[in-house]
């Protein structure tokens, strides 16, 4: 079981828009040294929506190459087309990733039955373990607990990244899924409470820049050390408040560049670099959390 803090890794870009694989290698090493539990390659934070399928696969394979078995890699393999998601899952099945992260189909707004059939067909298309990903603020569709319960009965659907920020969802889901079904927070601002209430970990944006703090807080929360976990979580609140000041991953890429983790804060269009009017606010947060002086 993968528990603790898993980083939703950014995909470094050059100013030209090409992927910066030198910086990607550096990021993988950074998280190995920091003790991060695992890497999600090519999730939302990795700008999966703006990379071609071939680029997507290449980033995952390069991440695996750089990891060299020292840290587990989960790959984003979702799409709003079931056929495309199946293709991605099959292409990655024997790559070495430990699981696929499957976002709810965005834009086309399927029904709960449509969601069930979508994920069922993906899971049945390969032996790759699948983690569901529910983030209605980005996809305009909500995977409800009852549907999650149905999907949890499929052997290789092993968990969910629940990114609604609604802590009452955790209890509802726990009642409907097997005990070994993995429950990850996808919302940094509420992840500490999520883990204190029985969640298995967090797939985190903040972990890109504050892995030691996020890792320690997560381990404390999972072990039930409420006081110590909340103390560290309080230190991280300035990051939670500012890393979503514009659409993710715009702010976190700017922060990564500010900390020297990547060479450029550039994103793929239609995302742009962090607006100048927000840069001082984010810099102040980095200072407050003592990531820069």
């Amino acid at each position: 079981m993968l528990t603790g803090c898993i980083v939703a890794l950014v995909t470094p870009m050059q100013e030209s828009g090409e992927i910066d694989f030198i910086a990607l290698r550096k990021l993988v090493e950074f998280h190995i040294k920091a003790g991060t539990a695992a890497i999600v390659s090519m999730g939302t934070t990795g700008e999966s929506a703006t990379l071609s399928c071939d680029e997507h696969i290449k980033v995952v394979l390069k991440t695996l190459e750089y990891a060299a078995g020292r840290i587990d890699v989960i790959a984003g393999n979702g799409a709003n087309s079931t056929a495309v998601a199946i293709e991605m899952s099959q292409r990655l099945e024997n790559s070495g990733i430990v699981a696929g992260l499957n976002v709810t189909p965005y834009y086309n707004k399927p029904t709960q039955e449509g969601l069930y059939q979508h994920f069922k067909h993906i899971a049945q298309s390969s032996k790759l373990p699948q983690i569901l990903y529910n983030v209605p603020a980005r996809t305009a569709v909500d995977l409800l607990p009852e549907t999650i319960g149905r999907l949890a009965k499929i052997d290789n659907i092993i968990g969910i990244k629940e990114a609604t920020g609604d802590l009452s969802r955790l209890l509802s889901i726990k009642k409907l899924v097997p005990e070994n079904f993995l429950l990850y927070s996808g919302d940094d601002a509420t992840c500490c409470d999520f883990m204190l209430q029985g969640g298995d970990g967090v797939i985190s944006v903040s972990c890109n820049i504050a892995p030691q703090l996020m890792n320690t807080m997560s381990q404390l929360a999972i072990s039930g050390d409420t006081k110590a976990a909340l103390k560290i979580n309080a230190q991280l609140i300035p990051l939670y408040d500012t890393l979503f000041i514009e659409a993710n991953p715009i702010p976190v890429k700017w922060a990564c560049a500010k900390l020297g983790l990547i060479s450029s804060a550039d994103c793929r269009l239609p995302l742009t670099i962090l607006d100048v009017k927000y840069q001082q606010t984010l810099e102040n947060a980095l200072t407050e959390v003592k990531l820069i002086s």
Side-chain angles (χ1 to χ4, degrees):
M1 289 178 64
L2 277 175
T3 61
C5 186
I6 299 168
V7 63
L9 196 67
V10 300
T11 301
M13 302 285 183
Q14 300 171 6
E15 290 184 11
S16 63
E18 295 299 310
I19 299 161
D20 186 345
F21 288 104
I22 294 173
L24 180 61
R25 182 192 289 271
K26 183 177 178 181
L27 288 176
V28 172
E29 292 296 333
F30 175 66
H31 286 285
I32 290 169
K33 291 176 182 176
T36 301
I39 290 171
V40 166
S41 175
M42 294 311 304
T44 304
T45 309
E47 298 177 73
S48 55
T50 59
L51 272 67
S52 70
C53 285
D54 287 343
E55 287 178 316
H56 188 121
I57 297 292
K58 185 174 181 179
V59 170
V60 172
L61 294 181
K62 283 293 185 182
T63 302
L64 283 163
E65 176 188 329
Y66 302 150
R70 295 171 295 164
I71 187 171
D72 285 329
V73 177
I74 298 165
N77 66 322
N80 63 345
S81 160
T82 306
V84 171
I86 287 172
E87 178 190 351
M88 294 291 290
S89 185
Q90 290 175 340
R91 289 180 67 178
L92 290 167
E93 181 175 8
N94 297 311
S95 65
I97 62 171
V98 297
L101 182 66
N102 242 297
V103 71
T104 50
Y106 41 89
Y107 186 76
N108 40 19
K109 299 177 72 173
T111 64
Q112 293 300 303
E113 182 60 25
L115 289 170
Y116 174 78
Q117 293 295 336
H118 172 79
F119 289 119
K120 177 184 175 182
H121 278 73
I122 296 166
Q124 292 178 340
S125 74
S126 79
K127 295 178 181 179
L128 182 68
Q130 302 288 343
I131 299 169
L132 308 171
Y133 177 16
N134 187 39
V135 56
R138 306 260 329 207
T139 63
V141 65
D142 189 2
L143 186 64
L144 297 179
E146 294 76 17
T147 307
I148 297 167
R150 291 178 69 195
L151 288 164
K153 295 175 183 177
I154 299 171
D155 286 344
N156 59 332
I157 295 181
I158 62 168
I160 185 167
K161 176 184 177 182
E162 172 60 31
T164 60
D166 179 358
L167 291 170
S168 68
R169 279 291 184 94
L170 177 61
L171 182 59
S172 298
I173 295 168
K174 282 175 74 72
K175 292 177 179 178
L176 297 168
V177 299
E179 188 176 347
N180 63 348
F181 193 77
L182 293 164
L183 300 166
Y184 299 119
S185 171
D187 178 63
D188 285 358
T190 58
C191 72
C192 184
D193 287 329
F194 184 97
M195 288 181 279
L196 286 169
Q197 293 177 26
D200 296 298
V202 57
I203 298 176
S204 169
V205 175
S206 302
C207 188
N208 278 282
I209 56 173
Q212 290 89 351
L213 286 171
M214 289 295 300
N215 295 336
T216 302
M217 180 271 290
S218 299
Q219 291 162 8
L220 289 167
I222 291 168
S223 68
D225 192 336
T226 302
K227 184 176 179 180
L230 289 174
K231 182 177 180 181
I232 296 177
N233 191 63
Q235 293 177 247
L236 289 159
I237 287 173
L239 289 187
Y240 303 156
D241 289 344
T242 54
L243 285 180
F244 298 91
I245 201 166
E246 286 193 330
N248 179 48
I250 292 172
V252 73
K253 290 192 85 171
W254 188 90
C256 284
K258 184 70 178 179
L259 295 174
L261 298 172
I262 58 178
S263 58
S264 169
D266 285 275
C267 301
R268 277 273 177 95
L269 288 172
L271 298 182
T272 53
I273 197 166
L274 184 67
D275 195 300
V276 172
K277 66 184 178 184
Y278 296 127
Q279 292 179 9
Q280 189 60 55
T281 301
L282 184 46
E283 185 171 344
N284 291 344
L286 296 177
T287 303
E288 191 172 351
V289 183
K290 299 181 180 178
L291 297 177
I292 58 174
S293 56

